[in-house]
Amino acid sequence: MAAQPVPHPSTDKKRVKVYELRNNDWFDRGTGFCTAAFNISEDGQQRDPRVIVESEDQPDRVILDTRICKEDGFHKQQDTLIVWTDPGNGVDMALSFQEAEGCAMIWKFINGIQQQYHSVTAPEDGLSDELAMDAPNPISLPPASMANLAEIESQMRGYSGTANGRDALTKYVLNEDFIGKLIPLVSDAEDLESLNDLHRLCNIMKIIILLNDTSIIEHAVSDECVIGVVGALEYDPDFPSHKANHRQWLEGEGRYKEVVRIEDPQILKKIHQTYRLQYLKDVVLARILDDNTFSVLNSLIFFNQVDIVQHLQSNAAFLAELFNIFKSPQPDPRRKKEAVLFIQQCCAIAKNLQPPARQTLYNNFLAHGLLQVINFGLRHGDVAVRVGATDILVSMIDHDPQMIRSMIYRQLHEKQLPLTDSLIDLLLVEVDLGVKSQISDALKVLLDQGPPPQQEAFAKANGEYAVRATTRIPPSADPQQDNFLNSFYENSATKLFQPLINLQGRASMEFSVQQASMFTYLIEILCFFIRQHQHRSKFFVLNNDIVLRISQLLNCPEKFLKLVAIRFLRHLIGLQDEFYVKHVIEKKVIGPILDVLAKTMPRDNLLSSACLEFFEFIRKENIKELVKHIVENYRDKVQELVYLDLFRTFLIRYDQTAGFSANMDYYIEVDDEPRKRPNIINPKTGALMEHLAMDQAEEEYWNTSDDEDDLQARSGNRASSINEESPNTKPLVDYASDEEGDENLEAGAISADEEKQNDGLRKVDEIPRDVAPPPERLSEKRRREEDEEDDLSKMFQHKRRNSTSASSNASSVSGVLRRKRTISGTRDAGGGPKKIAISLSPNLKSGNGRFDGEA
């Protein structure tokens, strides 16, 4: 494809950002250089106008390549924006130019193409016919006057029902400045107190705004029109007895405050326009907005905010003057307050920006001293300033917590008061519950040292010993974070949890609302620390007797504080850490939970459910030490609750084991296994011995025959016949020849003589089962008695292999191991003084004995 230059210099590349609307949020596809040109096929027949954006970083990569067609609906917004909808996938796209001149040049090319589409009068092909049919016809509305309002409203509703009518109506409203002609009628109707005319004006304004044209909306929120437009929208016919006060709100001069003077008039205009667009979207039109209008308003707001933030962060003089307010030798409290609120608004706007632009803004703020501003705001007496400072901090933490941690590391290195101390001071004195919640979350994020080890899941999969092994291996951590945590636990942790420590010796457990909420947040933070900072938190909990202090909250009249204390203790035992289990037993804090449960039962409420779940977890996880502690120390209290199966189970387990927790596993599985193995007693010491579980499938394997036994029987019978004919031959233990014979048997290579012998054996096999000789039954009985004498004989298989007859070596070593029990029975089945190594067939094992082994 060859590119033909357009009459204007379109080959000049204009720097631009490409945006794509995803889930009502503008996504930055990248920065590049934009060109507009005709692509002509090689035959020179088809002309294809296109807009192409090549990447700034990678010139060979094309960020955008879109064809200009009639359905795209390109629109120019402000001086540097071009927006359109891709007809292929319906995605809204936008180009944000660095300079207005480049935007105007590209728009001139696009607008020229669109005018060609709409000005086609002589159809040449099917596409031209379609363009001619879809071209909007010019319309005309009655003059804007009080007498014609009903007719104007009726015609506008008719035009807005079709796509062509909407396009024609949009052009008419813009060309005739119809909004400007309607605005004076609002004052006239108010003077005449004509409510019907005011309702019609409101409907007309709604129809005009819902045309979803950016030019109309920008004109509606301009300085000369905005008051008249919102004045007409105050009289909503859906609420005829009510009147809004939009004009009073927007006319308030005191709402716009300039902390530092902004010299650029375009930026000032965009600030005012953005505020009015947000008010229009969130207040005036919130009830009637459709998706298209909502998207158009969001797009205008977003691109205005991008321009405002980029101007502010690139203006070093502005930032220096802004942050010098907090360094001035003559402090101005009012101006400092307004500066904090201004920075809060900047951070709120930055949430909608792409991460790189947001990162640049935060870096510029931090370089100019943002942490000092946050410290000032957190300690301010005005709640609005404290909320603003908290919002700034939370916004930055949400974006990049490591950035704030780095600043705290630098503060510690410079021996300054860290930011966490300011957060702690505010948490302890703040009365606003929303601020408390934000500070609590901020502390947890800043003191988070990474994902914790999954101890509970690991314990369920590998047992508690695996968990103990993993806890002995400390996770790798950042040295700076370690120093930060050490400093926190040495200097700040005691101050943070001082209200809990001060509960020692307190008789009355009645607290104010602020104190009670503070305990809630402190215990939530403490649970997080215990989960994340294992060794440091253990020392802190032990050194300050935290468990006993929190258990005092079980005596509070407020139920939610009792629930907080139970949740903390449940968190401790849920870790299944031996340290915390022993600590809970040592402090005897389970007794107060039993008291709470006894008082609340038999009522079913959240408090009783929490208590029951606490003890159910102990039973389910079989925490032996806690079961023993509960029964031994609180048997009377448990006896009162014995009507519950949970506590009756505790007593039964304890009584059956006589307090020995070593054998409690035997009784914990009563419901799962109906039959239990007998205990094994060491005959020397009289103590319980470890019982090894035997696999039932393995037992069946040893007690039954297999195909290899049949082959071994054939081999044994063949050896017996040979021995009878040649008694002076060499011993039968010839491993090489026997293995070859086994292989030949398995392969089916059997000689004719062997076939005859096997036929004879098969005849003998036909002996009825009821005439089996007594020696076979006697040997089977003796073998069973030997197996019952010692249950541990299965653990020492090699001893039995040593006692096997030497004739069993006729098979391979692996065959001996697998058919140990069969050969052992064969040894006894001979019945005579002379024994030949043979292997019994399956029929013999089932009772068809024979005396082939006798010489």
Side-chain angles (χ1 to χ4, degrees), residues 107-369:
W107 173 248
K108 183 178 179 181
F109 175 80
I110 296 173
N111 192 36
I113 299 298
Q114 288 187 326
Q115 287 180 359
Q116 292 179 14
Y117 282 135
H118 294 294
S119 63
V120 174
T121 57
E124 297 179 356
D125 51 16
L127 178 61
S128 299
D129 291 340
E130 183 181 353
L131 290 174
M133 293 174 60
D134 293 342
N137 298 320
I139 65 171
S140 177
L141 294 175
S145 64
M146 299 283 290
N148 297 328
L149 288 179
E151 181 67 19
I152 292 172
E153 180 184 359
S154 176
Q155 291 190 19
M156 279 191 169
R157 288 189 185 278
Y159 289 135
S160 62
T162 62
N164 291 336
R166 291 170 67 90
D167 293 340
L169 184 59
T170 299
K171 290 188 176 182
Y172 180 84
V173 170
L174 290 173
N175 295 335
E176 299 295 330
D177 191 17
F178 203 71
I179 294 177
K181 296 178 180 179
L182 292 174
I183 289 175
L185 300 180
V186 177
S187 301
D188 296 342
E190 287 180 334
D191 294 339
L192 297 174
E193 296 182 356
S194 177
L195 190 59
N196 291 332
D197 291 335
L198 290 171
H199 288 168
R200 291 191 182 98
L201 285 169
C202 180
N203 289 333
I204 292 171
M205 285 296 179
K206 288 180 180 179
I207 293 172
I208 293 174
I209 293 176
L210 292 179
L211 291 174
N212 301 332
D213 186 81
T214 56
S215 301
I216 290 178
I217 294 176
E218 288 179 348
H219 182 58
V221 297
S222 60
D223 294 340
E224 59 272 11
C225 296
V226 63
I227 299 301
V229 170
V230 298
L233 294 172
E234 287 180 353
Y235 299 92
D236 194 337
D238 295 336
F239 303 95
S241 60
H242 294 80
K243 173 184 174 296
N245 58 348
H246 303 317
R247 285 175 289 185
Q248 180 182 352
W249 181 267
L250 292 176
E251 286 177 341
E253 295 294 337
R255 303 197 181 278
Y256 174 71
K257 298 178 181 179
E258 210 169 23
V259 182
V260 177
R261 183 169 181 80
I262 300 175
E263 302 294 340
D264 192 339
Q266 291 297 324
I267 296 299
L268 279 176
K269 180 181 177 181
K270 289 183 179 181
I271 291 174
H272 292 301
Q273 187 185 77
T274 302
Y275 174 73
R276 293 164 185 167
L277 288 170
Q278 288 177 330
Y279 185 80
L280 198 67
K281 176 176 71 77
D282 298 334
V283 180
V284 181
L285 302 176
R287 191 174 55 85
I288 64 172
L289 276 181
D290 56 13
D291 292 341
N292 293 330
T293 309
F294 185 80
S295 177
V296 169
L297 292 174
N298 273 340
S299 300
L300 291 171
I301 292 170
F302 172 77
F303 289 114
N304 280 347
Q305 289 177 342
V306 169
D307 293 339
I308 293 169
V309 171
Q310 286 182 347
H311 171 78
L312 295 181
Q313 71 179 7
S314 61
N315 193 339
F318 177 86
L319 292 178
E321 185 176 356
L322 174 64
F323 286 95
N324 283 336
I325 296 175
F326 301 93
K327 304 174 185 178
S328 175
Q330 299 178 352
D332 186 352
R334 183 187 61 82
R335 198 176 181 206
K336 286 185 177 181
K337 173 183 176 180
E338 293 176 353
V340 173
L341 299 180
F342 174 79
I343 298 173
Q344 177 193 7
Q345 287 188 351
C346 290
C347 292
I349 293 174
K351 291 180 181 180
N352 300 323
L353 302 181
Q354 297 299 318
R358 196 186 319 155
Q359 182 72 40
T360 303
L361 177 67
Y362 290 153
N363 288 339
N364 288 334
F365 280 178
L366 288 173
H368 286 81

Side-chain angles (χ1 to χ4, degrees), residues 609-621:
S609 299
C611 296
L612 289 174
E613 196 277 335
F614 178 87
F615 293 105
E616 176 65 22
F617 179 82
I618 296 176
R619 184 201 68 81
K620 181 180 178 182
E621 298 297 330

